Amino acid sequence: MEPVVGVAVVGAVEDARLRGIDLGPWTEFDAASNTAYPLLFGMLDSAVMAFEVWERVVTVSQRDVLSEGMGLPAEQARSVVAFLAGLQDLGRMVPRFQRAHRAAWARLDDTLVEQAGGDTGWAPTARSSMHVALGVLTMSGYACAGNASPAVRAAQVVGGCRGFFLQADIEGAASARRVAVAAGGEAWDRLRHRYAAVVRHLTGAVHVPERLSVPAAVLAAGVGTVAGRLARQRSYWLPKAHMPAFGAAEHFTLASGEARDVLDAAWLEKLEWQDVPFAVAHPHARRPNRFQESLMTQLPSLVGKSGSGILVAADATGTGKSVGALQASRIFNAACGSTGVAWLSPSTATADASWELLEDYVRRHGPYRAPVALAHSHSWLNAAYSDRRLAAEEFAPVPVAAGERVPPTGDAAGAGDDDPEVTEPPRLLRGHDAALLAPFCAATVDQAQMAVLPVQSNAVRLLGLSGKTVVVDEAHALSAFSHLQLLRLLGWFGALRTPVVLLSATLPASTADALVRAYLTGAGHRASTLPQGAFSPSYPGWLFADAATATATVMDETARLRHAAGQHRQARIRVHDVRRARLGPQPRTVGSTERLAVIGDVLTPVISHGGCAAVTCATVPDAQDTYRHLKHTWPGDPADLVLLHARFPGHHRERLLRTLRRRLGPTGERPERIVVVTTSLLDTSLDIDVDLMVSDLASVARLLQRLGRLARFAPRWQNDDASRRPVWWDDGHIPDLHVLEPVSAAGSTSIPAGWRTLESPFVLRATADLLRTRSLISLPGDVQNLVEQIHGPHSPFAEATEALRYDAARLRSKDTTERHLSAQHLLPPPGRVSSLADLHRQRLTTAQAATRLGTLPVRLLPCYRTASGGLALDRAGRHPLPAGPGLETAGIRHVLQHTLPVPAAWVARHGPQHRPPEAWSTHPLLADLVLLPAPAHNTGHTEQYGRYLLRMDDELGLVHTTAR
């Protein structure tokens, strides 16, 4: 359809010339220099930035979604996206906004001032721009006939560039009559149309979309949001405001060249790198195993024929799933027009490990520059993020993901030199939503789940994720609450034709089927037409379902069986009935049937003859007791008895993790003797190998994950096992996992109260019953059967006993409640969206939009009162708490690295002595810290917070008790 050429369009060429149009209305104002920036120039800046974002960020696959969603060729769709981005500040041409600065108001044309009228209470920029844009778009030929019509959705995109999609009441507030009353007189309306006509003329958006689909609208809003953020940087517009006046056309041309520099500084650019051989990209793998080889052989033809889709890779831990995912992403990106990888992990520890994997992978391809971003709440602990990120002035009051403070949204400063080894992203890419725009990004799955919650700028998250291959690691490790959000996210990925890879070592078949069906339903297939139970791979193996036809293809059976045979190993699970009792503050005699005594007995070979062992405890207090008990009889170097848990300060915990990776990794210097006492930190985050493992009772899924660290490198070390294993490791030795089952005096499984929040009592009891009948486990052959018996929908243990029936019913009720709570805030599926405002019917801050149930933790800062009365981070007083008016970034990092997370209830009743220095109150990462002060000379000092008593022990970490 050709545009309707009316009065407003005539003269656009003349208006674009110098002095061709009134440039009095302003969009930005610098009070220090009394400088106003013309609104028309700001609109053109946003449009120009949108063009550059299209070139640098929007991938071929996303362009296809936009083109198809508008019914226009890609180049015409590009112009429409830039045009809509340019209109996002048009709503500032209203009297109320223009009056905000008296000096700027005085520069307006007399006619505008005369017709301004009184203060009409006009809406904020987002709603104002949407309302005035609706009239502009309608006069430009966009059909306006309801919520799904191009004019209404395009106007909602204009408003959505400010973060939220709003309802356009075309018969009410958005009607031409109401806008004319609220937004100034005829002169204001005429000038707005002339501004829009100039933007449309210079962007070339003369073709009118036949439609505007929901996925296309969301991507367009994402592009406009990023473009607006870049254009509104003070360091960008203020120098231009001081330059000699130009006409709109000349400004547009000059801004086009400047926009390239801005995006270069932000590292938003097309990824260019070498295509290297497998052995170079994955040197530790040397050559592909049969699992990886089958992907490299089968997947290219499948993707080349049908396009993007979802891949489920199920294999045992330590067998190379990550390498397989990277090879699959290479295939997807080449065939589907996507670029880069977004690696989603269930925890910050696994996200850190994934970041290291991605960074090494990127470096080996020799790119000129390719930032590898890290997006999670504790990313400031990672060495890749320099001290510049912690400068207080970089943080702005913009919402971020749950549990975090605020992302930097200021100047997109450069990130250093042009060394291809540099992967530290610049400031823009360190904001948690914008970080997902980086070509490669490691993030917690929470960051992605925020894309399907009604938070500000969730379109940016969808834009950043949908152009990549998305890898969801440990896809099984989510609660019912988070699992429903993942299903909805996969539905959106299906609609956006995003390639997805799901990785898991313990994924029930029903869960795999549900995840794939969610993706295919989002891609447009009716759920009722998809065959039930058809989308789960054999174990070990993979399944690919394409978005276009929903056809499922599985790993070649011959290759699968050979792969399983090549990975075959056995493990013995020995269950010990134990009586669980706390050690207490003072040493005492431990009975022979107590948990602590059994642990000591099981570790005898390691203690006496050497070797590497891990003791995984259910809770931190259990780990602290275990460490204290073992310490009394430890015969070797005290440094080889290691305690590792989450209640150590961050710098201590990260140092221990790095040391364990080095000493117990595939190529590390293996110690003669080491015992690591830990919690669940080792389940999924470390590529390590131990000779013996002890674990408190846990679900089958968790125990299988822990088995992945027991003799993990045995296949790799077949030729030199003798030099790496202890003397008691005989030929044909079967490694042992010792499971400690807490029992009552009557001999039945007794689940401690503190464990019930970790895992369901049903899962724990059923696992205990199962393990009594299965002592020898074949890996990977027995894995799927074990998982299905406990975690499948038809567990035979659900009706085995009255106690199990009761626990199973409680688990079903809990899961139902979690799903209900999760569904309350979810965005609707793309196929069920009428008005784009449906995506923000609720409007939540990222602190309110939960991605998992439970109270967010508070960060505690242990500190010590010195003889002079001041507070320091260390007992010796060498590192005083920074408290001056200017906070040094190195000092800020030092403070943050000494913090640790604790439940909010523990410190809810803190007093004035627990508050941070006043100078910290303006820094978003320091303001909410709670202090744990102690006299430097008193190592046993306990601090009270209501009924909770906390003590930082130099050896045990944070010790928590409750006042009687």
Side-chain angles (χ1 to χ4, degrees):
M1 179 187 296
E2 290 299 319
V4 176
V5 180
V7 175
V9 179
V10 173
V13 175
E14 291 76 13
D15 280 346
R17 295 172 181 162
L18 181 62
R19 298 185 179 88
I21 197 171
D22 179 12
L23 296 177
W26 60 277
T27 183
E28 306 289 350
F29 187 83
D30 180 61
S33 59
N34 203 32
T35 303
Y37 191 54
L39 173 60
L40 179 58
F41 287 2
M43 294 171 62
L44 292 174
D45 290 341
S46 293
V48 165
M49 292 294 182
F51 276 134
E52 282 301 309
V53 172
W54 178 285
E55 295 301 321
R56 310 288 191 95
V57 177
V58 181
T59 63
V60 173
S61 61
Q62 291 173 318
R63 294 176 190 182
D64 289 342
V65 172
L66 284 159
S67 177
E68 180 183 340
M70 293 184 186
L72 295 174
E75 280 302 304
Q76 295 176 13
R78 168 179 174 266
S79 294
V80 171
V81 169
F83 173 47
L84 298 180
L87 295 182
Q88 63 183 279
D89 286 343
L90 183 61
R92 289 185 165 184
M93 195 190 293
V94 294
R96 185 173 188 182
F97 181 87
Q98 294 297 314
R99 282 194 179 105
H101 289 285
R102 182 176 299 177
W105 174 259
R107 300 175 187 177
L108 261 61
D109 181 85
D110 291 342
T111 304
L112 294 178
V113 174
E114 291 170 3
Q115 294 188 9
D119 190 336
T120 61
W122 185 245
T125 298
R127 187 171 296 279
S128 173
S129 294
M130 178 184 69
H131 285 172
V132 298
L134 182 62
V136 166
L137 293 166
T138 302
M139 287 193 64
S140 299
Y142 286 64
C144 183
N147 284 332
S149 62
V152 174
R153 282 192 173 165
Q156 289 178 308
V157 168
V158 170
C161 292
R162 286 289 183 160
F164 293 105
F165 291 112
L166 308 170
Q167 181 62 46
D169 183 3
I170 60 178
E171 300 297 332
S175 66
R177 179 182 57 82
R178 292 280 293 275
V179 170
V181 171
E186 182 182 348
W188 290 83
D189 189 57
R190 185 185 310 113
L191 191 57
R192 281 193 296 268
H193 279 79
R194 289 174 66 188
Y195 272 23
V198 170
V199 175
R200 189 182 187 199
H201 164 68
L202 293 176
T203 56
V206 296
H207 295 87
V208 177
E210 298 177 1
R211 56 185 176 272
L212 188 54
S213 70
V214 172
V218 169
L219 292 182
V223 172
T225 302
V226 176
R229 288 184 186 179
L230 294 169
R232 285 189 292 271
Q233 296 175 107
R234 186 173 183 274
S235 62
Y236 172 73
W237 66 261
L238 186 56
K240 294 156 66 73
H242 291 297
M243 294 173 64
F246 294 110
E250 189 174 6
H251 177 91
F252 187 83
T253 301
L254 292 173
S256 297
E258 294 168 342
R260 299 185 188 100
D261 295 336
V262 172
L263 270 78
D264 281 342
W267 287 23
L268 293 176
E269 57 191 73
K270 287 186 177 298
L271 181 64
E272 296 181 4
W273 65 358
Q274 306 169 17
D275 190 9
V276 301
F278 181 91
V280 174
H282 313 286
H284 298 306
R286 300 176 188 172
R287 60 179 180 275
N289 61 26
R290 288 187 174 89
F291 189 96
Q292 298 153 0
E293 189 176 34
S294 71
L295 284 171
M296 295 163 66
T297 302
Q298 289 183 251
L299 196 57
S301 61
L302 297 173
V303 178
K305 177 182 178 182
S306 302
S308 65
I310 184 168
L311 174 73
V312 183
D315 200 0
T317 57
T319 55
K321 292 191 300 297
S322 296
V323 171
L326 290 174
Q327 287 301 116
S329 69
R330 182 193 296 269
I331 295 166
F332 279 130
N333 291 342
C336 303
S338 48
T339 302
V341 175
W343 198 290
L344 308 181
S345 303
S347 68
T348 58
T350 49
D352 283 339
S354 301
W355 180 87
E356 293 182 2
L357 170 75
L358 285 179
E359 196 219 20
D360 181 67
Y361 179 72
V362 169
R363 285 173 185 264
R364 294 185 181 280
H365 287 76
Y368 168 70
R369 187 167 65 181
V372 182
L374 178 63
H376 64 67
S377 59
H378 302 154
S379 58
W380 40 262
L381 275 175
N382 194 292
Y385 282 56
S386 75
D387 287 334
R388 290 201 308 275
R389 179 175 184 260
L390 300 176
E393 61 269 18
E394 291 192 5
F395 291 83
V398 178
V400 295
E404 299 155 2
R405 297 294 168 244
V406 291
T409 57
D411 300 348
D417 55 33
D418 292 332
D419 185 343
E421 294 298 306
V422 174
T423 55
E424 174 205 333
R427 185 186 298 179
L428 175 75
L429 296 187
R430 295 194 215 109
H432 291 101
D433 57 355
L436 302 176
L437 298 171
F440 286 86
C441 178
T444 50
V445 71
D446 309 59
Q447 296 295 333
Q449 289 169 201
M450 297 299 286
V452 290
L453 293 173
V455 298
Q456 187 173 17
S457 299
N458 52 8
V460 173
R461 295 180 190 265
L462 284 171
L463 174 70
L465 289 166
S466 63
K468 304 176 180 62
T469 294
V470 176
V471 178
V472 184
D473 203 359
E474 308 295 344
H476 62 277
L478 295 175
S479 66
F481 185 92
S482 299
H483 177 72
L484 185 62
Q485 294 180 346
L486 178 59
L487 291 174
R488 186 60 48 85
L489 181 64
L490 290 175
W492 275 88
F493 285 157
L496 292 165
R497 294 299 190 266
T498 304
V500 174
V501 180
L502 303 178
L503 302 180
S504 179
T506 54
L507 190 65
S510 58
T511 303
D513 185 71
L515 293 171
V516 175
R517 291 170 65 86
Y519 179 91
L520 296 176
T521 302
H525 300 278
R526 288 180 174 271
S528 58
T529 64
L530 297 174
Q532 291 289 338
F535 301 109
S536 59
S538 299
Y539 191 94
W542 56 262
L543 174 144
F544 171 71
D546 68 87
T549 68
T551 301
T553 305
V554 297
M555 180 179 178
D556 177 76
E557 184 65 10
T558 301
R560 191 185 73 81
L561 293 175
R562 287 179 178 175
H563 172 70
Q567 301 295 329
H568 174 75
R569 60 191 181 96
Q570 289 184 313
R572 184 178 287 110
I573 295 186
R574 301 181 185 270
V575 180
H576 304 266
D577 292 350
V578 299
R579 186 168 59 86
R580 185 177 176 274
R582 294 298 309 274
L583 187 58
Q586 302 298 327
R588 63 174 178 82
T589 301
V590 175
S592 60
T593 61
E594 283 192 47
R595 172 184 174 276
L596 296 174
V598 172
I599 291 174
D601 292 342
V602 167
L603 292 176
T604 297
V606 174
I607 294 173
S608 301
H609 305 293
C612 304
V615 182
T616 305
C617 306
T619 66
V620 171
D622 290 331
Q624 292 169 331
D625 278 357
T626 302
Y627 175 84
R628 289 172 56 209
H629 177 69
L630 293 175
K631 182 184 175 184
H632 291 306
T633 57
W634 185 252
D637 186 341
D640 289 336
L641 178 61
V642 179
L643 177 62
L644 173 64
H645 56 71
R647 291 189 193 145
F648 278 113
H651 70 97
H652 179 90
R653 186 175 64 253
E654 293 302 311
R655 184 176 67 250
L656 285 180
L657 285 169
R658 287 194 299 270
T659 301
L660 289 177
R661 287 191 186 110
R662 185 183 71 250
R663 301 185 72 188
L664 299 178
T667 59
E669 180 183 348
R670 202 155 178 88
E672 179 181 347
R673 179 192 291 109
I674 188 172
V675 171
V676 183
V677 180
T678 185
T679 54
S680 59
L681 280 178
L682 299 190
D683 286 1
T684 57
S685 60
L686 295 184
D687 187 22
I688 62 171
D689 173 294
V690 296
D691 307 310
L692 179 69
M693 181 171 284
V694 186
S695 172
D696 279 328
L697 178 64
S699 66
V700 156
R702 286 197 176 186
L703 292 177
L704 289 172
Q705 290 286 345
R706 291 168 190 174
L707 273 176
R709 275 78 198 160
L710 180 61
R712 182 183 183 93
F713 306 137
R716 222 182 294 189
W717 293 349
Q718 287 178 352
N719 298 327
D720 56 354
D721 244 4
S723 64
R724 295 177 179 267
R725 298 300 180 188
V727 295
W728 48 267
W729 188 288
D730 302 325
D731 290 341
H733 177 81
I734 298 176
D736 291 320
L737 169 61
H738 296 266
V739 177
L740 310 177
E741 178 187 351
V743 296
S744 64
S748 60
T749 305
S750 177
I751 308 301
W755 293 16
R756 295 174 184 270
T757 58
L758 305 175
E759 292 191 282
S760 159
F762 166 75
V763 169
L764 295 175
R765 293 183 197 278
T767 297
D769 286 357
L770 175 63
L771 295 183
R772 293 191 190 101
T773 65
R774 298 291 298 268
S775 60
L776 196 65
I777 292 180
S778 176
L779 302 173
D782 291 339
V783 170
Q784 193 65 37
N785 177 260
L786 294 172
V787 169
E788 296 295 343
Q789 288 196 62
I790 303 300
H791 301 280
H794 306 295
S795 170
F797 293 95
E799 301 293 332
T801 65
E802 185 63 32
L804 284 170
R805 279 196 294 273
Y806 174 77
D807 287 340
R810 293 195 64 181
L811 176 59
R812 288 193 295 269
S813 176
K814 172 179 173 291
D815 287 351
T816 300
T817 300
E818 287 194 13
R819 284 191 291 267
H820 173 74
L821 292 173
S822 181
Q824 289 182 357
H825 291 161
L826 277 178
L827 269 61
R832 296 183 182 177
V833 174
S834 174
S835 168
L836 293 179
D838 294 343
L839 302 178
H840 287 113
R841 291 294 179 193
Q842 305 171 80
R843 194 177 301 182
L844 304 178
T845 67
T846 48
Q848 295 169 327
T851 54
R852 61 189 71 188
L853 288 180
T855 305
L856 294 173
V858 171
R859 297 207 70 81
L860 188 71
L861 176 64
C863 52
Y864 305 93
R865 194 167 299 282
T866 63
S868 64
L871 291 175
L873 295 172
D874 61 319
R875 290 189 185 275
R878 292 188 298 266
H879 303 287
L881 265 62
L887 296 174
E888 297 284 341
T889 54
I892 296 170
R893 174 178 289 282
H894 202 205
V895 169
L896 291 172
Q897 288 177 331
H898 280 74
T899 64
L900 65 149
V902 297
W906 289 8
V907 294
R909 297 180 62 184
H910 62 270
Q913 72 275 24
H914 304 133
R915 294 171 187 159
E918 183 64 28
W920 297 8
S921 61
T922 58
H923 194 289
L925 290 177
L926 301 180
D928 294 333
L929 296 182
V930 176
L931 302 188
L932 175 59
H937 63 277
N938 185 355
T939 58
H941 175 80
T942 298
E943 191 74 8
Q944 186 163 1
Y945 302 79
R947 67 188 186 94
Y948 296 99
L949 304 176
L950 303 180
R951 173 173 63 88
M952 178 52 66
D953 188 283
D954 296 340
E955 195 173 15
L956 299 177
L958 185 69
V959 178
H960 156 254
T961 54
T962 305
R964 295 182 179 179

